[in-house]
Amino acid sequence: MVASSPYQCMTLALLVLPPLFITTYFMAAFPSPPAPITLHPSLASLPPTSRSWSIYPEDYFSGGGYAVFPAGKVRYWLLGPEKGKKVVLIHGLSIPSIIWKDVAPKLVASGHRVLLYDLYGRGYSDAPQTAYDTNLYTTQLAFLLQYLKWDKANIIGVSMGGAIAAAFTAQFPHLVDESVGLIACAGLMESNDISRTAKVMSSPLIQALTSSRPVQMYMQHLINQSQSGSQEEKPLLEIVRLQSAHLPGYNNALSSSLRDGPVRGQRAAFQSKSFNGKRVLILHGTKDTTVHPKYATLISDLLPSGVKQKLITFEGAGHDLSVSHPVEVATALLDLLDGKSWKKLP
């Protein structure tokens, strides 16, 4: 047997040792601590002269306050008598709590204690630079109820807020009282329900571009030009445009909600046994072009058998039921919360 020469040994060492050292390094390497979440500002960061303050000021509702949580600061309002039946109203994808401007007062007038709050990335709540998935929204509400020392509440949501209400019920049934209201409810939308334009605009590349300073300045210029014109914009549409132009985290919140959030994929939530023992009201317009009316029926079919439920459709109505039909919506919600007419349901 021929002994290896020193040269051969050295060659072997050069071939074996580097991969061994690299493997050892990666096995022993310890990750750096995670960086803190970047928080983008809310409407509160805009000067008092901003158009947003005349449409949707910080004190638009009485009883306002802020709560600070790990994912950022949350703006909320408490309306109505302290001993009233507790109700949470959750807004949808793009318009903050002003969407409830015509419904909340009617619930308060009937003696209910109403909680309104802006979802992360909208209105006066911070916009964390993170994935706007279902858990972000459900834990936001869970933290808020704990902060306010509410043991449980009736949960009502519109559009994406309805999907959040359903997911919250599935995850935290002990925090949900007798009633769940789902208005023009998302949660089961398919990818082909979302327009190609929305898909392109929600892509990470486009979002990085639209969040850049030059594009933000251009959008603000367009907003200022439209305000100088003679035609007054509808307030809710204008508050969307103002958020998009002035809040760097708003567009990311919307796009991530479409890609990662509760507008889709909530079949298991609607099927959850956590709905057992609760009353579920489903309201939907027959001409809703944002969330197709077929999803109202599908939600009804998915709910566990034996759950007391009502499906009410509004003939000819579109998506924004809380704005277009506030009296009818409030009447249906008051009936849900009262529960007397539900006793005979199977």
Side-chain angles (χ1 to χ4, degrees):
M1 185 174 181
V2 179
S4 298
S5 67
Y7 176 79
Q8 289 175 322
C9 291
M10 183 177 296
T11 302
L12 181 61
L14 290 174
L15 291 175
V16 173
L17 291 179
L20 181 61
F21 286 144
I22 292 173
T23 302
T24 303
Y25 171 80
F26 281 110
M27 291 181 64
F30 202 70
S32 301
I37 296 177
T38 299
L39 297 178
H40 297 291
S42 69
L43 287 176
S45 66
L46 302 186
T49 55
S50 171
R51 176 74 173 135
S52 63
W53 285 84
S54 63
I55 299 173
Y56 181 48
E58 193 176 26
D59 59 353
Y60 187 86
F61 301 102
S62 61
Y66 283 98
V68 181
F69 303 133
K73 188 167 57 177
V74 173
R75 180 64 173 173
Y76 68 89
W77 299 265
L78 286 173
L79 314 177
E82 292 187 11
K83 294 185 179 180
K85 183 177 288 188
K86 295 179 177 64
V87 183
V88 178
L89 299 180
I90 311 173
H91 68 77
L93 178 71
S94 59
I95 302 173
S97 290
I98 191 176
I99 198 75
W100 298 110
K101 63 186 179 66
D102 299 317
V103 173
K106 293 177 172 56
L107 301 185
V108 171
S110 296
H112 294 84
R113 183 68 161 167
V114 176
L115 168 63
L116 301 165
Y117 69 103
D118 285 343
L119 296 173
Y120 284 126
R122 286 82 167 180
Y124 290 94
S125 291
D126 285 343
Q129 187 67 36
T130 188
Y132 282 71
D133 58 15
T134 301
N135 289 337
L136 178 73
Y137 292 119
T138 56
T139 54
Q140 179 186 11
L141 179 53
F143 277 132
L144 186 56
L145 292 182
Q146 183 185 51
Y147 176 84
L148 297 173
K149 296 181 172 59
W150 281 23
D151 294 332
K152 59 175 55 179
N154 300 280
I155 310 296
I156 296 166
V158 61
S159 191
M160 187 183 78
I164 295 171
F168 185 82
T169 302
Q171 292 181 9
F172 303 102
H174 60 289
L175 298 179
V176 181
D177 209 342
E178 302 171 311
S179 305
V180 179
L182 308 174
I183 306 172
C185 186
L188 297 177
M189 296 176 68
E190 301 291 342
S191 295
N192 56 15
D193 292 320
I194 301 172
S195 69
R196 182 174 298 177
T197 300
K199 291 176 182 176
V200 171
M201 292 303 296
S202 68
S203 67
L205 178 61
I206 297 297
Q207 280 305 302
L209 177 64
T210 58
S211 298
S212 65
R213 184 59 181 164
V215 174
Q216 288 276 300
M217 292 179 65
Y218 177 69
M219 293 172 66
Q220 292 168 19
H221 173 71
L222 294 179
I223 287 287
N224 292 334
Q225 279 192 329
S226 69
Q227 290 175 12
S228 64
S230 60
Q231 183 66 34
E232 182 73 13
E233 292 283 356
K234 293 181 179 179
L236 297 185
L237 174 60
E238 191 168 357
I239 201 66
V240 170
R241 294 175 63 188
L242 286 165
Q243 290 178 105
S244 181
H246 290 279
L247 303 183
Y250 175 75
N251 293 320
N252 174 69
L254 265 60
S255 64
S256 181
S257 296
L258 290 175
R259 298 170 69 88
D260 313 309
V263 297
R264 303 180 297 154
Q266 298 306 308
R267 177 180 289 267
F270 292 114
Q271 292 176 318
S272 173
K273 292 182 180 180
S274 296
F275 279 98
N276 288 330
K278 305 188 189 305
R279 300 186 294 268
V280 182
L281 174 65
I282 305 169
L283 304 178
H284 218 104
T286 61
K287 298 297 183 180
D288 190 337
T289 57
T290 302
V291 180
H292 196 281
K294 67 181 180 182
Y295 291 119
T297 303
L298 183 53
I299 289 171
S300 176
D301 293 339
L302 288 174
L303 290 171
S305 60
V307 170
K308 292 183 178 181
Q309 59 165 293
K310 288 184 181 180
L311 169 57
I312 301 176
T313 57
F314 294 82
E315 188 62 35
H319 186 62
D320 296 326
L321 290 178
S322 62
V323 176
S324 63
H325 294 68
V327 175
E328 295 89 340
V329 168
T331 300
L333 292 177
L334 289 172
D335 177 67
L336 168 71
L337 295 167
D338 178 68
K340 291 180 181 179
S341 69
W342 292 65
K343 291 182 179 179
K344 295 182 181 180
L345 295 178

